[in-house]
């Protein structure tokens, strides 16, 4: 019966990953509509997106603290419902005075749900005693694909409000269906591993967060700048330039669904090493590519490598010895997502002076550093049934 419950819990948390990705993907077609509704300049739109990201980064450690006291299932249920409704808040905002707090809440609920669902996935891994984190992130990628793909069509036909209502209905239905099956961990108890304000003392968890940071920054850079790189520096047409991120994200989603079996067979450390080699090679190839076609293939290779790096880093963070998975996960997600938040502006600033090619070569160096830090991923192999005190989420 416990094994059966864990299997149901595995699909329940996968549904939550899908919903979170679906909402993030659905946000993409809302951004240009937001610019039109409020007559926003690119600078102002960038500031609003930054506010959205800051809401997520602030909420992540708060939710980690809540999870350490109430468990990941309770927090995931609440943040899941709030997250499902949050895009509607942004779409319905009639003025800038209401839009800004709506964006803060939207980012906060997305970030809080992210910490809770990753923490719950760690609990499921312990129950099943096998890796599920990579495929869980695969469901997130799949959700993002559907959210962005279908969202553009719906937003065009139904407008920004009609699209947001449809997204809310789908997301809320899926969250409510998943809620009863989410796995509950043992009642959290206090640990002695936290320092001031509940932050872990162990430097290893912060180094694990840096691994997540170095893995997520290239992902954010490809998302925001790969198409512009192909278009401006290689002369590619718009359709060809857009293939860069399509190839990257498609390869990433595919490898995430294959990643758990690879990790179960080779172990987290070896999988991270192989992923680092492939990712660094792909990013280096993109920076040195002589044509758009080769650059696109190189980005696809980078996507294959990067795919499992963040899931493994999060799994390692959630299984740190002597630290609750909630504390470990909140540190890793906050550091990692800070990179996603900061990378686009840093890349834009540097690219104006150097072009994009040296930047992608620089990201290859970051990914090579992850390869050198792969031994830090050893806790991800410690997927054992929960035992107090380090087992709570």
């Amino acid at each position: 019966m416990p094994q059966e419950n864990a299997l149901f819990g595995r699909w329940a948390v996968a549904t939550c990953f899908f919903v979170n990705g679906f909402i993030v993907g659905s946000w993409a077609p809302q951004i240009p509509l937001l610019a039109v509704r409020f007559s926003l300049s690119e600078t102002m739109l960038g500031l609003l997106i930054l506010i959205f990201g800051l809401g997520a980064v602030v909420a992540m450690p708060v939710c980690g603290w809540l999870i350490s006291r109430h468990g990941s299932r309770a927090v995931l249920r609440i943040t899941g419902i709030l997250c499902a409704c949050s895009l509607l808040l942004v779409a319905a905002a009639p003025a800038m005075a209401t839009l800004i707090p709506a964006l803060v809440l939207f980012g906060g609920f997305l970030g809080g749900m992210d910490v809770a669902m990753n923490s719950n996935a760690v609990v499921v891994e312990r129950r099943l005693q096998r890796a599920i984190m990579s495929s869980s992130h695969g469901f997130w990628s799949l959700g993002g694909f559907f959210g962005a793909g279908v969202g553009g069509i719906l937003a065009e036909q139904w407008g920004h409000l009609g699209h947001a209502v449809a997204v809310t209905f789908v997301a809320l239905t899926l969250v409510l269906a998943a809620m009863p099956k989410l796995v509950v961990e043992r009642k959290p108890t206090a640990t002695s591993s936290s320092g001031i304000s509940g932050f872990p003392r162990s430097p290893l968890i912060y180094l694990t967060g840096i691994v997540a940071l170095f893995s997520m920054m290239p992902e954010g850079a490809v998302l925001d700048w790969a198409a512009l790189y192909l278009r401006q520096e290689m002369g590619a047409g718009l359709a060809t330039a857009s293939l860069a991120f399509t190839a990257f994200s498609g390869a990433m989603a595919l490898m995430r669904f294959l990643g758990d079996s690879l990790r179960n067979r080779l172990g987290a450390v070896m999988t991270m090493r192989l992923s680092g080699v492939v990712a660094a090679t792909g990013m280096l190839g993109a920076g040195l590519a002589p044509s758009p076609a080769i650059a696109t293939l190189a980005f696809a290779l980078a996507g294959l490598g990067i795919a499992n790096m963040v899931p493994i880093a999060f799994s390692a963070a959630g299984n740190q010895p002597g630290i609750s998975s909630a504390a470990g996960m909140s540190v890793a997600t906050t550091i990692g997502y800070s990179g996603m938040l900061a990378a686009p502006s840093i890349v834009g600033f540097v690219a104006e002076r150097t072009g994009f090619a040296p930047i992608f070569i620089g990201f290859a160096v970051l990914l090579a550093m992850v390869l050198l830090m792969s031994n830090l991923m050893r806790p991800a192999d410690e997927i054992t049934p929960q035992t107090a005190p380090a087992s709570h989420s």
Side-chain angles (χ1 to χ4, degrees):
M1 186 64 70
Q3 186 79 359
E4 184 180 345
N5 290 341
L7 285 171
F8 282 127
R10 186 260 179 282
W11 292 111
V13 78
T15 302
C16 292
F17 272 87
F18 180 90
V19 167
N20 192 277
F22 179 70
I23 295 169
V24 171
S26 299
W27 164 233
Q30 285 279 343
I31 294 173
L33 297 176
L34 195 71
V36 173
R37 281 166 57 206
F38 292 94
S39 302
L40 301 172
S41 66
E42 289 183 2
T43 300
M44 189 61 192
L45 186 60
L47 286 173
L48 289 175
I49 294 172
L50 183 66
I51 288 169
F52 158 78
L54 287 172
V57 170
V58 169
M60 284 173 172
V62 174
C63 279
W65 180 83
L66 289 171
I67 292 165
S68 69
R69 280 148 182 80
H70 304 290
S72 61
R73 185 174 72 165
V75 177
L76 182 51
R77 284 175 163 181
I78 295 168
T79 54
I81 290 172
L82 293 173
C83 187
C85 302
S86 57
L87 183 63
L88 192 55
L89 287 177
V90 176
M96 190 63 70
T98 51
L99 176 64
I100 290 173
L103 282 170
V104 172
L105 291 173
F106 182 35
F109 294 148
L110 272 168
M113 184 183 181
D114 197 292
V115 176
M117 69 192 188
N118 275 288
S119 296
N120 196 258
V122 170
V123 178
V124 175
E125 284 190 327
R126 290 171 175 166
R127 293 283 180 86
L128 294 175
Q129 298 185 54
R130 61 182 173 85
I132 65 140
M133 190 66 83
S134 289
S135 58
S136 294
H137 282 255
F139 279 104
W140 189 92
S141 299
L142 199 61
F145 176 81
F146 278 106
V150 178
I153 299 168
L154 292 183
E156 191 174 62
Q157 293 182 350
W158 295 355
H160 70 278
L161 202 55
H163 166 247
V165 169
V167 168
T168 301
F169 175 78
V170 172
L172 201 53
T173 301
L174 290 173
V175 167
L176 291 173
M179 276 172 50
K181 300 297 183 182
L182 289 169
V183 167
V184 61
E185 62 270 42
R186 291 181 180 179
K187 185 173 176 59
T189 55
T191 69
S192 60
S193 59
S194 296
I196 299 170
S197 302
F199 289 102
R201 295 192 187 102
S202 170
L204 293 179
I205 187 61
Y206 297 99
L207 289 172
T208 303
I210 289 171
V211 170
L213 171 72
F214 287 176
S215 302
M216 294 176 81
M217 284 182 73
E219 182 181 348
V222 175
L223 168 65
D224 290 302
W225 300 108
L228 202 61
Y229 170 50
L230 264 64
R231 189 161 171 77
Q232 285 190 356
E233 297 187 17
M234 295 188 175
L238 186 59
T240 302
S242 67
L243 288 176
F245 181 67
T246 303
F248 177 86
S249 58
M252 176 178 282
L254 174 65
M255 183 51 71
R256 280 181 167 170
F257 284 111
L258 298 173
D260 289 329
S261 59
L262 188 68
R263 181 179 143 197
N264 286 324
R265 179 175 299 181
L266 300 178
V269 174
M270 182 55 69
T271 304
M272 184 63 102
R273 285 174 181 162
L274 291 174
S275 297
V277 169
V278 173
T281 302
M283 202 62 73
L284 182 64
L288 298 174
S291 69
I294 293 175
T296 300
L297 288 174
F299 280 126
L301 186 64
L304 289 175
I306 292 172
N308 293 309
M309 297 172 79
V310 173
I312 290 173
F314 282 179
S315 193
N319 283 288
Q320 288 288 319
I323 301 174
S324 75
S325 60
M329 196 64 70
S330 64
V331 168
T333 53
T334 302
I335 294 174
Y337 282 100
S338 296
M340 287 282 278
L341 188 63
S345 56
I346 294 171
V347 168
F349 178 80
V350 176
E352 285 184 18
R353 291 151 180 80
T354 67
F356 288 106
I359 290 172
F360 289 119
I361 293 170
F363 280 127
V365 175
L366 278 189
L367 291 166
M369 290 176 68
V370 172
L371 171 63
L372 297 175
M373 298 168 75
S374 56
N375 275 338
L376 292 169
M377 301 301 102
R378 205 166 295 283
D381 284 328
E382 303 301 320
I383 302 172
T384 55
Q386 289 180 299
T387 55
S391 61
H392 60 270
S393 262

